[in-house]
Amino acid sequence: MQLDVTESEVRQLLSMQELIPAMERALAAFSAGRVVQPTRLMLPVTDHEGFLGVMPAYTGSALGVKLVTLYPQNKDLPTHHAVVILFRPETGEPLLSMDGTYITEARTAAVSAVATHYLAREDASVLALIGAGVQARSHLEALRLVRHFREVRVWSPRSAPEFARRHGVTAAASAEEAVRGADVVVTATTSRTPVLRGEWLSPGTHINAVGAPRPDWRELDDELLRRACIYVDSSEAAMRESGDVIAAGHFFAELGEVIAGSKPGRQSRDEITLFKSLGLAVEDVTAAELVYKKVRGQAAGG
């Protein structure tokens, strides 16, 4: 498919500094009911252990859809590939298409940064990354914009040493070693069974869990779910798609409600907070709208 905006162009046009506040506004609008967005359709591609997701949204100013594939077994290719198409809301005319791979990567981390801003302790200074792929990289960039970390640890079964060398952080020998004493933890894995245990967590830890997007997959063990106050991006999606939230059987609030002030964020210094991120179409469409405005601006100026 010929794209109007390639992945490299999206990377040049979309900055994390502007994406984080855009995601904050999008989440608040979603929780307030100002966004038209059904729960994503996930089509299994069973023969190849993959999925095709269809994610449409209308924000009032932007109308679009993301088509995304998830192939967790990919080794030499990304596990996610995506395309975002925007339409003119007034007429339905296609405006442009763009590669959605970086949009998915960046907006996920930007949303975790919003969650970290509202839910992590203000003096959080140790970050643990479980997973060493593109999401670990984007989360490292995004979370450093909302908290000052004096130490960053990373663990994955294969790639942690290389990731640590590339980004100037510390490779841990195990997930437990990475997590013990951490103030903020990110789980960004393709694991279908728990990789993070509640017994490893210190009082006051905040967790951003961005893996395990299927109802029968888990990243978090029962002890963690019992100890944590759980926040989600979408209540409907969380109870349908997240194996962790389904196992917990409850959550406290949507992140958008916290942003709007209708629900509280962290309520004590020792509280363990968990943000379970599944990813929303409104995030993709909002990010794509930022790119489109820059493309349009360049065309007008050129």
Side-chain angles (χ1 to χ4, degrees):
M1 178 179 180
Q2 181 65 44
L3 296 173
D4 295 309
V5 188
T6 66
E7 180 182 353
S8 62
E9 291 169 330
V10 172
R11 286 181 181 273
Q12 293 173 358
L13 294 169
L14 191 61
S15 76
M16 193 64 77
Q17 287 87 345
E18 66 179 341
L19 189 56
I20 291 172
M23 293 301 96
E24 184 175 8
R25 294 189 297 269
L27 289 163
F30 173 80
S31 292
R34 299 194 300 271
V35 174
V36 181
Q37 178 196 295
T39 303
R40 90 184 101 209
L41 168 66
M42 291 296 286
L43 175 73
V45 188
T46 308
D47 293 351
H48 303 288
E49 300 184 61
F51 299 89
L52 170 65
V54 182
M55 302 173 63
Y58 173 49
T59 69
S61 62
L63 172 66
V65 60
K66 183 172 81 169
L67 305 175
V68 58
T69 56
L70 168 61
Y71 279 65
Q73 304 308 314
N74 282 1
K75 300 302 181 192
D76 299 321
L77 291 170
T79 57
H80 291 75
H81 297 272
V83 175
V84 181
I85 304 172
L86 292 182
F87 302 84
R88 190 179 304 280
E90 297 82 2
T91 63
E93 300 167 88
L95 290 172
L96 85 171
S97 61
M98 66 186 73
D99 187 281
T101 304
Y102 181 67
I103 285 177
T104 302
E105 174 186 336
R107 62 80 156 150
T108 303
V111 168
S112 290
V114 174
T116 301
H117 171 72
Y118 280 94
L119 301 177
R121 292 200 316 247
E122 290 189 9
D123 62 351
S125 62
V126 179
L127 171 64
L129 302 170
I130 307 302
V134 295
Q135 281 299 336
R137 180 182 66 208
S138 60
H139 274 74
L140 181 59
E141 176 189 358
L143 298 189
R144 279 175 163 167
L145 295 175
V146 297
R147 289 293 185 273
H148 176 70
F149 296 108
R150 60 175 173 79
E151 182 181 1
V152 178
R153 312 167 188 156
V154 61
W155 176 83
S156 79
R158 294 174 295 276
S159 308
E162 180 184 351
F163 183 97
R165 285 193 298 271
R166 186 182 307 123
H167 297 284
V169 301
T170 301
S174 66
E176 180 177 0
E177 182 179 291
V179 168
R180 291 280 187 185
D183 303 305
V184 177
V185 178
V186 174
T187 57
T189 75
T190 57
S191 179
R192 302 188 183 193
T193 57
V195 295
L196 182 61
R197 302 192 176 281
E199 66 185 78
W200 301 342
L201 300 175
S202 302
T205 303
H206 170 67
I207 304 106
N208 296 303
V210 302
R214 301 296 299 151
D216 55 344
W217 297 7
R218 297 276 301 275
E219 279 193 316
L220 316 172
D221 78 346
D222 292 342
E223 173 69 8
L224 191 159
L225 298 176
R226 184 188 65 79
R227 295 181 64 189
C229 183
I230 303 172
Y231 297 80
V232 300
D233 48 12
S234 162
S235 57
E236 181 180 5
M239 294 307 295
R240 287 179 56 178
E241 297 182 352
S242 169
D244 291 309
V245 177
I246 291 169
H250 65 89
F251 59 88
F252 178 70
E254 290 184 348
L255 182 56
E257 295 176 300
V258 178
I259 296 166
S262 59
K263 292 285 184 70
R266 170 174 294 276
Q267 298 180 69
S268 73
R269 181 172 177 79
D270 287 344
E271 183 178 41
I272 292 175
T273 54
L274 163 65
F275 173 60
K276 176 58 196 176
S277 174
L278 286 164
L280 303 178
V282 64
E283 299 163 7
D284 300 298
V285 171
T286 298
E289 185 182 22
L290 291 176
V291 175
Y292 171 65
K293 287 179 177 178
K294 292 192 175 182
V295 170
R296 188 176 59 183
Q298 289 179 350

